[in-house]
């Protein structure tokens, strides 16, 4: 039992002291046994490894194989055997599309073509041109996105066509930042490259006319067609206006290109339910063509007795006119008509 001394302090009895001492000794002994068992396991493991290695070395072909491997490594290190530049045999797992685009390697051009539909050289050219307008200031709360990442995301958004909720995560940005990046890159491209979309003049015009002449179309400047750009239905707009023949919401882009697929004219924005004829009638292309802005060459006579100063090629979705040449219609066609349609 516990007692008290003259100063009032608790004093353990002899039996209690014996119990405490036995408990402490038991804990110390158990700890020593566990530590000894651990050392023994390590020793046995090392011994088994040495025995296994010795058996492998005692094999008759081991020495010869080891020497062959050493000689091959020495030859590669000395440059005797040429080493091809390694390529990615499996795409690296990184932080997303943007991190993959930043990686160095000879496979990155393929990755740029896949994700941005352009080479790395073209991407760097666009990034350097747009960087002054995309540079953000460092704030107290965060560091801004680099201009290269902003341009890469906008190009990826246009090339892939995924929603903002899906593709922003692969670039490590939020949905609002993605929408802002697309808007800013669009304005930058229109400012620095707006003059790239223009009707050919001078030497370039003669090159285009000569190329189409060699194909059998004298005085031809290009080809026109429409494509649908899928969008979310605009707010407070009638859904039937944007619902196209593929049962999706879209707007129409009318594009004119030359023989090298260089874009000469773009007219975009009409709802997807509009027909190609209606779009070309409402476009600036029709107005300029009727006013003689584009086609001013010397008149030529086409097969069929059509006399024109210049024209573009279209499909059967367009009506024939003085400046739009379309294929012959009908089923029973003359061989010359079939040949013309094939061209």
């Amino acid at each position: 039992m516990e007692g008290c001394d003259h100063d009032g302090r608790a004093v353990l009895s002899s039996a209690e002291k014996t119990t405490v001492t036995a408990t402490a000794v038991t804990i110390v002994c158990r700890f020593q046994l566990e530590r000894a068992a651990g050392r023994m396991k390590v020793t046995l493991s090392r011994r088994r490894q040495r025995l296994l290695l010795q058996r492998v070395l005692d094999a008759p072909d081991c020495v010869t194989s080891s020497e062959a491997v050493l000689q091959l490594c020495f030859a590669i290190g000395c440059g005797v055997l040429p080493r091809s530049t390694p390529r990615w045999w499996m795409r690296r797992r990184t932080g997303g599309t943007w991190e993959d685009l930043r990686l160095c390697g000879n496979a990155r051009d393929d990755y740029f073509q896949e994700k941005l539909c352009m080479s790395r050289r073209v991407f760097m050219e666009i990034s350097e041109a747009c960087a002054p307008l995309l540079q953000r200031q460092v704030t107290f709360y965060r560091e801004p996105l680099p201009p290269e990442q902003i341009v890469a995301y906008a190009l990826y958004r246009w090339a892939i066509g995924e929603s903002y909720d899906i593709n922003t995560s692969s670039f490590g940005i939020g949905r609002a930042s993605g929408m802002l990046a697309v808007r800013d890159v669009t304005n930058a491209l229109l400012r620095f490259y707006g003059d790239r979309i223009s009707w050919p003049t001078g030497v370039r015009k003669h090159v285009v006319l000569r190329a189409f002449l060699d194909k059998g179309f004298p005085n031809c400047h290009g080809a026109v067609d429409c494509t649908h750009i899928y969008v979310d239905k605009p707010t407070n707009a009638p859904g039937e206006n944007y619902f196209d023949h593929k049962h999706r919401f879209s707007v129409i882009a009318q594009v004119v290109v030359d023989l090298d697929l260089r874009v000469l004219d773009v007219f975009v924005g009409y709802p997807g339910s509009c027909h190609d004829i209606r779009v070309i009638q409402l476009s600036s292309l029709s107005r300029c063509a009727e006013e003689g802005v584009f086609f001013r060459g010397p008149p030529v006579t086409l097969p069929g007795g059509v006399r024109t100063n210049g024209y573009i090629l279209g499909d059967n979705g367009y009506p024939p006119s003085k400046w739009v040449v379309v294929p012959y219609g009908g089923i029973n066609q003359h061989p010359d008509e079939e040949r013309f349609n094939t061209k």
Side-chain angles (χ1 to χ4, degrees), residues 85-104:
T85 304
R87 291 179 61 86
W88 300 348
W89 63 274
M90 183 176 66
R91 184 165 298 160
R92 299 162 177 161
R93 294 184 178 272
T94 61
T97 303
W98 171 239
E99 293 298 328
D100 288 338
L101 291 173
R102 295 176 61 187
L103 290 175
C104 297

mmCIF file of all heavy atoms in Angstrom, residues 85-104:
data_model
loop_
_atom_site.group_PDB
_atom_site.id
_atom_site.type_symbol
_atom_site.label_atom_id
_atom_site.label_comp_id
_atom_site.label_asym_id
_atom_site.label_seq_id
_atom_site.Cartn_x
_atom_site.Cartn_y
_atom_site.Cartn_z
ATOM 1 N N THR A 85 18.642 8.570 -82.507
ATOM 2 C CA THR A 85 18.001 9.444 -81.544
ATOM 3 C C THR A 85 16.733 8.789 -81.023
ATOM 4 O O THR A 85 15.872 8.407 -81.800
ATOM 5 C CB THR A 85 17.647 10.792 -82.194
ATOM 6 O OG1 THR A 85 18.829 11.350 -82.749
ATOM 7 C CG2 THR A 85 17.043 11.744 -81.174
ATOM 8 N N PRO A 86 16.614 8.609 -79.708
ATOM 9 C CA PRO A 86 15.430 7.913 -79.187
ATOM 10 C C PRO A 86 14.171 8.728 -79.384
ATOM 11 O O PRO A 86 14.186 9.948 -79.300
ATOM 12 C CB PRO A 86 15.757 7.755 -77.694
ATOM 13 C CG PRO A 86 16.706 8.870 -77.394
ATOM 14 C CD PRO A 86 17.518 9.052 -78.637
ATOM 15 N N ARG A 87 13.084 8.050 -79.691
ATOM 16 C CA ARG A 87 11.778 8.672 -79.812
ATOM 17 C C ARG A 87 10.874 8.161 -78.702
ATOM 18 O O ARG A 87 11.174 7.162 -78.063
ATOM 19 C CB ARG A 87 11.147 8.374 -81.180
ATOM 20 C CG ARG A 87 11.864 9.052 -82.322
ATOM 21 C CD ARG A 87 11.186 8.675 -83.633
ATOM 22 N NE ARG A 87 9.808 9.103 -83.670
ATOM 23 C CZ ARG A 87 9.421 10.307 -84.052
ATOM 24 N NH1 ARG A 87 10.320 11.206 -84.400
ATOM 25 N NH2 ARG A 87 8.140 10.642 -84.082
ATOM 26 N N TRP A 88 9.792 8.864 -78.503
ATOM 27 C CA TRP A 88 8.842 8.419 -77.493
ATOM 28 C C TRP A 88 8.202 7.120 -77.960
ATOM 29 O O TRP A 88 7.541 7.076 -78.981
ATOM 30 C CB TRP A 88 7.746 9.453 -77.274
ATOM 31 C CG TRP A 88 8.237 10.779 -76.814
ATOM 32 C CD1 TRP A 88 9.471 11.109 -76.362
ATOM 33 C CD2 TRP A 88 7.475 11.994 -76.779
ATOM 34 N NE1 TRP A 88 9.537 12.431 -76.041
ATOM 35 C CE2 TRP A 88 8.337 13.002 -76.288
ATOM 36 C CE3 TRP A 88 6.164 12.312 -77.117
ATOM 37 C CZ2 TRP A 88 7.904 14.314 -76.131
ATOM 38 C CZ3 TRP A 88 5.746 13.613 -76.951
ATOM 39 C CH2 TRP A 88 6.598 14.601 -76.460
ATOM 40 N N TRP A 89 8.392 6.041 -77.250
ATOM 41 C CA TRP A 89 7.683 4.811 -77.587
ATOM 42 C C TRP A 89 6.356 4.746 -76.847
ATOM 43 O O TRP A 89 5.479 3.982 -77.195
ATOM 44 C CB TRP A 89 8.522 3.595 -77.240
ATOM 45 C CG TRP A 89 8.815 3.448 -75.785
ATOM 46 C CD1 TRP A 89 9.836 4.011 -75.102
ATOM 47 C CD2 TRP A 89 8.071 2.681 -74.842
ATOM 48 N NE1 TRP A 89 9.777 3.656 -73.779
ATOM 49 C CE2 TRP A 89 8.712 2.844 -73.593
ATOM 50 C CE3 TRP A 89 6.929 1.883 -74.921
ATOM 51 C CZ2 TRP A 89 8.252 2.234 -72.427
ATOM 52 C CZ3 TRP A 89 6.465 1.274 -73.766
ATOM 53 C CH2 TRP A 89 7.126 1.451 -72.541
ATOM 54 N N MET A 90 6.219 5.581 -75.850
ATOM 55 C CA MET A 90 4.942 5.709 -75.155
ATOM 56 C C MET A 90 4.841 7.136 -74.650
ATOM 57 O O MET A 90 5.823 7.693 -74.156
ATOM 58 C CB MET A 90 4.849 4.727 -73.983
ATOM 59 C CG MET A 90 3.508 4.763 -73.264
ATOM 60 S SD MET A 90 3.389 3.533 -71.968
ATOM 61 C CE MET A 90 4.632 4.142 -70.825
ATOM 62 N N ARG A 91 3.692 7.753 -74.804
ATOM 63 C CA ARG A 91 3.545 9.150 -74.408
ATOM 64 C C ARG A 91 3.758 9.298 -72.914
ATOM 65 O O ARG A 91 3.227 8.547 -72.099
ATOM 66 C CB ARG A 91 2.146 9.650 -74.784
ATOM 67 C CG ARG A 91 1.940 11.127 -74.504
ATOM 68 C CD ARG A 91 0.717 11.638 -75.215
ATOM 69 N NE ARG A 91 0.894 11.487 -76.651
ATOM 70 C CZ ARG A 91 -0.096 11.482 -77.512
ATOM 71 N NH1 ARG A 91 -1.337 11.599 -77.094
ATOM 72 N NH2 ARG A 91 0.135 11.342 -78.800
ATOM 73 N N ARG A 92 4.530 10.285 -72.561
ATOM 74 C CA ARG A 92 4.858 10.486 -71.163
ATOM 75 C C ARG A 92 3.642 10.978 -70.399
ATOM 76 O O ARG A 92 2.839 11.743 -70.897
ATOM 77 C CB ARG A 92 5.988 11.522 -71.044
ATOM 78 C CG ARG A 92 7.262 11.094 -71.736
ATOM 79 C CD ARG A 92 8.163 12.289 -71.974
ATOM 80 N NE ARG A 92 9.418 11.898 -72.583
ATOM 81 C CZ ARG A 92 10.203 12.747 -73.216
ATOM 82 N NH1 ARG A 92 9.866 14.000 -73.342
ATOM 83 N NH2 ARG A 92 11.328 12.327 -73.736
ATOM 84 N N ARG A 93 3.551 10.531 -69.162
ATOM 85 C CA ARG A 93 2.480 11.003 -68.302
ATOM 86 C C ARG A 93 2.958 12.251 -67.579
ATOM 87 O O ARG A 93 3.890 12.204 -66.796
ATOM 88 C CB ARG A 93 2.100 9.920 -67.288
ATOM 89 C CG ARG A 93 1.487 8.690 -67.935
ATOM 90 C CD ARG A 93 1.046 7.710 -66.865
ATOM 91 N NE ARG A 93 0.428 6.549 -67.456
ATOM 92 C CZ ARG A 93 -0.861 6.460 -67.740
ATOM 93 N NH1 ARG A 93 -1.651 7.486 -67.485
ATOM 94 N NH2 ARG A 93 -1.363 5.368 -68.275
ATOM 95 N N THR A 94 2.338 13.371 -67.902
ATOM 96 C CA THR A 94 2.731 14.632 -67.294
ATOM 97 C C THR A 94 1.494 15.322 -66.761
ATOM 98 O O THR A 94 0.456 14.711 -66.558
ATOM 99 C CB THR A 94 3.442 15.527 -68.315
ATOM 100 O OG1 THR A 94 2.532 15.798 -69.396
ATOM 101 C CG2 THR A 94 4.671 14.845 -68.877
ATOM 102 N N GLY A 95 1.614 16.621 -66.585
ATOM 103 C CA GLY A 95 0.524 17.377 -66.008
ATOM 104 C C GLY A 95 -0.568 17.744 -66.976
ATOM 105 O O GLY A 95 -1.461 18.502 -66.613
ATOM 106 N N GLY A 96 -0.540 17.274 -68.208
ATOM 107 C CA GLY A 96 -1.587 17.595 -69.164
ATOM 108 C C GLY A 96 -1.018 17.951 -70.517
ATOM 109 O O GLY A 96 0.181 17.811 -70.788
ATOM 110 N N THR A 97 -1.900 18.443 -71.388
ATOM 111 C CA THR A 97 -1.506 18.763 -72.761
ATOM 112 C C THR A 97 -0.438 19.851 -72.792
ATOM 113 O O THR A 97 0.525 19.777 -73.555
ATOM 114 C CB THR A 97 -2.734 19.201 -73.563
ATOM 115 O OG1 THR A 97 -3.714 18.162 -73.525
ATOM 116 C CG2 THR A 97 -2.366 19.487 -75.007
ATOM 117 N N TRP A 98 -0.595 20.871 -71.970
ATOM 118 C CA TRP A 98 0.371 21.968 -71.976
ATOM 119 C C TRP A 98 1.748 21.488 -71.550
ATOM 120 O O TRP A 98 2.757 21.879 -72.134
ATOM 121 C CB TRP A 98 -0.111 23.099 -71.073
ATOM 122 C CG TRP A 98 0.900 24.181 -70.834
ATOM 123 C CD1 TRP A 98 1.418 24.600 -69.656
ATOM 124 C CD2 TRP A 98 1.548 24.991 -71.841
ATOM 125 N NE1 TRP A 98 2.330 25.599 -69.837
ATOM 126 C CE2 TRP A 98 2.432 25.864 -71.169
ATOM 127 C CE3 TRP A 98 1.461 25.048 -73.234
ATOM 128 C CZ2 TRP A 98 3.213 26.792 -71.857
ATOM 129 C CZ3 TRP A 98 2.251 25.970 -73.912
ATOM 130 C CH2 TRP A 98 3.115 26.826 -73.230
ATOM 131 N N GLU A 99 1.824 20.639 -70.553
ATOM 132 C CA GLU A 99 3.116 20.107 -70.125
ATOM 133 C C GLU A 99 3.729 19.238 -71.217
ATOM 134 O O GLU A 99 4.948 19.253 -71.414
ATOM 135 C CB GLU A 99 2.950 19.308 -68.832
ATOM 136 C CG GLU A 99 2.551 20.150 -67.633
ATOM 137 C CD GLU A 99 3.589 21.200 -67.287
ATOM 138 O OE1 GLU A 99 4.792 20.939 -67.511
ATOM 139 O OE2 GLU A 99 3.215 22.275 -66.801
ATOM 140 N N ASP A 100 2.917 18.491 -71.944
ATOM 141 C CA ASP A 100 3.444 17.681 -73.044
ATOM 142 C C ASP A 100 3.982 18.559 -74.167
ATOM 143 O O ASP A 100 4.988 18.229 -74.806
ATOM 144 C CB ASP A 100 2.354 16.763 -73.591
ATOM 145 C CG ASP A 100 2.024 15.621 -72.631
ATOM 146 O OD1 ASP A 100 2.894 15.309 -71.801
ATOM 147 O OD2 ASP A 100 0.926 15.083 -72.713
ATOM 148 N N LEU A 101 3.323 19.677 -74.430
ATOM 149 C CA LEU A 101 3.794 20.580 -75.480
ATOM 150 C C LEU A 101 5.105 21.247 -75.098
ATOM 151 O O LEU A 101 5.892 21.627 -75.968
ATOM 152 C CB LEU A 101 2.738 21.646 -75.760
ATOM 153 C CG LEU A 101 1.440 21.162 -76.424
ATOM 154 C CD1 LEU A 101 0.422 22.293 -76.473
ATOM 155 C CD2 LEU A 101 1.703 20.641 -77.821
ATOM 156 N N ARG A 102 5.362 21.392 -73.819
ATOM 157 C CA ARG A 102 6.593 22.048 -73.366
ATOM 158 C C ARG A 102 7.783 21.113 -73.347
ATOM 159 O O ARG A 102 8.926 21.562 -73.263
ATOM 160 C CB ARG A 102 6.384 22.615 -71.959
ATOM 161 C CG ARG A 102 5.345 23.722 -71.898
ATOM 162 C CD ARG A 102 5.120 24.166 -70.464
ATOM 163 N NE ARG A 102 6.347 24.692 -69.884
ATOM 164 C CZ ARG A 102 6.467 25.034 -68.606
ATOM 165 N NH1 ARG A 102 5.462 24.845 -67.773
ATOM 166 N NH2 ARG A 102 7.595 25.523 -68.145
ATOM 167 N N LEU A 103 7.547 19.804 -73.412
ATOM 168 C CA LEU A 103 8.649 18.850 -73.357
ATOM 169 C C LEU A 103 9.526 18.949 -74.590
ATOM 170 O O LEU A 103 9.049 19.241 -75.687
ATOM 171 C CB LEU A 103 8.116 17.428 -73.226
ATOM 172 C CG LEU A 103 7.468 17.068 -71.881
ATOM 173 C CD1 LEU A 103 6.886 15.671 -71.957
ATOM 174 C CD2 LEU A 103 8.481 17.153 -70.753
ATOM 175 N N CYS A 104 10.805 18.706 -74.409
ATOM 176 C CA CYS A 104 11.746 18.698 -75.521
ATOM 177 C C CYS A 104 11.897 17.274 -76.031
ATOM 178 O O CYS A 104 11.866 16.316 -75.263
ATOM 179 C CB CYS A 104 13.105 19.250 -75.080
ATOM 180 S SG CYS A 104 13.055 20.977 -74.563
#
